[in-house]
Amino acid sequence: MAQSGLVGRELALTMLRVLPRVCLGNLRPNPGSRHKKKRGRGQHGGDKHGFGNKGSGQRQNFMRTGYETGNTPFYLRFGFEPYYKGHHLRRQYPPMSLEQLQLLIDTNRIDTSKPIDLTTLVNTGIIPVKPDWKHYGIHLTDEGADLFKTKINIEVQWTSEPVIAAIERNGGVIRTAFYDMNSVYAAVDPERHFKRGEPIPRRMLPPADCLEYYSSAETRGYLADPEKISEERLALAQKYGYELPKIEDDPDYDMLNARKDPRQIFYGLEPGWVISLKDKAILKPKADYLKEYYTS
């Protein structure tokens, strides 16, 4: 009754003095906002919690993966498919489109004044190549071929004819090259490889099932004859109806003509060299048998 005559600021100050402060100890949900979810004992089937009556489903010995409660399992109902034979050993090539490549160039993640290889693409941080997942390199796809407008010298592991035409139409050069698993490990993470103090491995030749692909001039294989590649460049330009730029007259001829040795992994670094990042030095083999081994 004493507060009935108070108004405004005086009433608010009086209420603060009398009422308790809000804290975690006196917070309560609104009445009726929370409902009890658990049903009572013996009501609507009791308190089995969805595990039913007896059996392995009620106990902790859970059924194994693929068990179909007494039915014939999937792998026995259907016959063997030869397609899946050795599927876990097949080489995988994660895709990268020409549209993605153009975006990486436009955002200055790739320097077009230098040759582009597997190490360059992985160092962008956008293209994932995981050797543990049987990734053997990059598959360059033709998505965004009409948007690609850059002159580059690129080396990928797998590609198609429209991609080759899109790059050569802009005065660029493309090659397909094989990397074995040890070479992929080194190319994907060079710093980790150099810190081990191991020599740069020599790149192995492609296996028999893809030797024809990397030896073909049509796919711009790195083992193909350069004269046949020149002929195929002209034939592809006539097929797609564009004028083939002359690389010989290009001011960037040295960059466009740069290529690796079939045994080489990094540009400017030979197999057998040991890179010391701590000392910033390169150790080269001097024994003749080592030179012959890494260059053979």
Side-chain angles (χ1 to χ4, degrees):
M1 297 298 295
Q3 299 180 6
S4 60
L6 301 178
V7 293
R9 183 184 302 176
E10 297 179 356
L11 178 60
L13 292 175
T14 304
M15 291 179 64
L16 288 176
R17 294 190 187 99
V18 176
L19 297 177
R21 296 297 180 91
V22 178
C23 62
L24 294 177
N26 56 20
L27 287 178
R28 296 290 185 276
N30 294 331
S33 63
R34 301 185 66 178
H35 301 278
K36 186 177 180 181
K37 295 182 179 180
K38 182 181 177 182
R39 296 176 299 188
R41 181 181 297 273
Q43 299 178 7
H44 308 288
D47 53 355
K48 302 293 184 182
H49 305 289
F51 285 93
N53 297 312
K54 301 183 180 180
S56 61
Q58 183 185 11
R59 301 178 175 86
Q60 295 301 317
N61 55 336
F62 298 108
M63 293 174 287
R64 68 178 187 275
T65 303
Y67 180 68
E68 300 186 19
T69 62
N71 299 326
T72 304
F74 175 84
Y75 61 89
L76 292 180
R77 285 201 304 270
F78 297 92
F80 174 73
E81 291 290 341
Y83 171 80
Y84 295 104
K85 183 178 181 180
H87 187 273
H88 64 291
L89 300 176
R90 295 182 182 180
R91 292 184 294 272
Q92 305 294 330
Y93 298 93
M96 180 186 69
S97 64
L98 285 173
E99 184 179 2
Q100 289 179 299
L101 180 60
Q102 184 65 55
L103 180 61
L104 294 176
I105 295 173
D106 294 340
T107 54
N108 296 326
R109 292 180 179 268
I110 294 180
D111 186 7
T112 58
S113 63
K114 299 178 181 178
I116 302 171
D117 60 350
L118 179 61
T119 304
T120 306
L121 296 174
V122 174
N123 284 341
T124 60
I126 305 298
I127 309 300
V129 176
K130 302 178 181 180
D132 295 336
W133 292 10
K134 300 297 180 182
H135 289 179
Y136 277 76
I138 298 295
H139 177 199
L140 190 59
T141 64
D142 59 351
E143 182 181 358
D146 298 335
L147 304 175
F148 191 78
K149 304 296 181 182
T150 309
K151 178 178 60 178
I152 58 174
N153 179 3
I154 188 171
E155 177 189 83
V156 294
Q157 285 61 61
W158 207 268
T159 189
S160 58
E161 186 180 87
V163 176
I164 298 174
I167 292 178
E168 294 180 350
R169 182 177 64 242
N170 295 285
V173 177
I174 182 173
R175 284 183 303 278
T176 54
F178 174 78
Y179 281 73
D180 60 281
M181 187 51 63
N182 291 333
S183 300
V184 173
Y185 272 108
V188 167
D189 196 349
E191 183 179 359
R192 180 182 179 184
H193 179 77
F194 294 156
K195 286 183 178 180
R196 292 177 178 176
E198 299 177 357
I200 300 175
R202 58 176 184 172
R203 189 157 37 130
M204 297 289 102
L205 294 177
D209 59 347
C210 60
L211 181 60
E212 182 179 357
Y213 180 85
Y214 292 109
S215 301
S216 174
E218 296 180 358
T219 58
R220 305 300 187 267
Y222 74 120
L223 300 178
D225 187 0
E227 296 183 358
K228 292 184 179 180
I229 291 180
S230 300
E231 297 175 0
E232 291 295 335
R233 283 170 56 88
L234 181 59
L236 190 62
Q238 295 174 353
K239 179 179 179 180
Y240 282 82
Y242 61 86
E243 185 177 354
L244 184 65
K246 293 184 178 180
I247 299 179
E248 295 78 6
D249 301 335
D250 197 292
D252 298 327
Y253 174 75
D254 294 336
M255 185 274 293
L256 296 175
N257 196 39
R259 62 179 58 198
K260 300 178 185 177
D261 185 81
R263 294 295 193 182
Q264 191 176 0
I265 300 177
F266 306 105
Y267 282 104
L269 299 177
E270 300 293 336
W273 292 4
V274 178
I275 310 301
S276 177
L277 298 179
K278 182 178 181 180
D279 300 332
K280 297 182 180 181
I282 299 178
L283 306 178
K284 303 179 182 180
K286 297 182 179 180
D288 294 336
Y289 73 94
L290 289 177
K291 295 179 180 179
E292 182 180 359
Y293 171 79
Y294 284 108
T295 56
S296 61

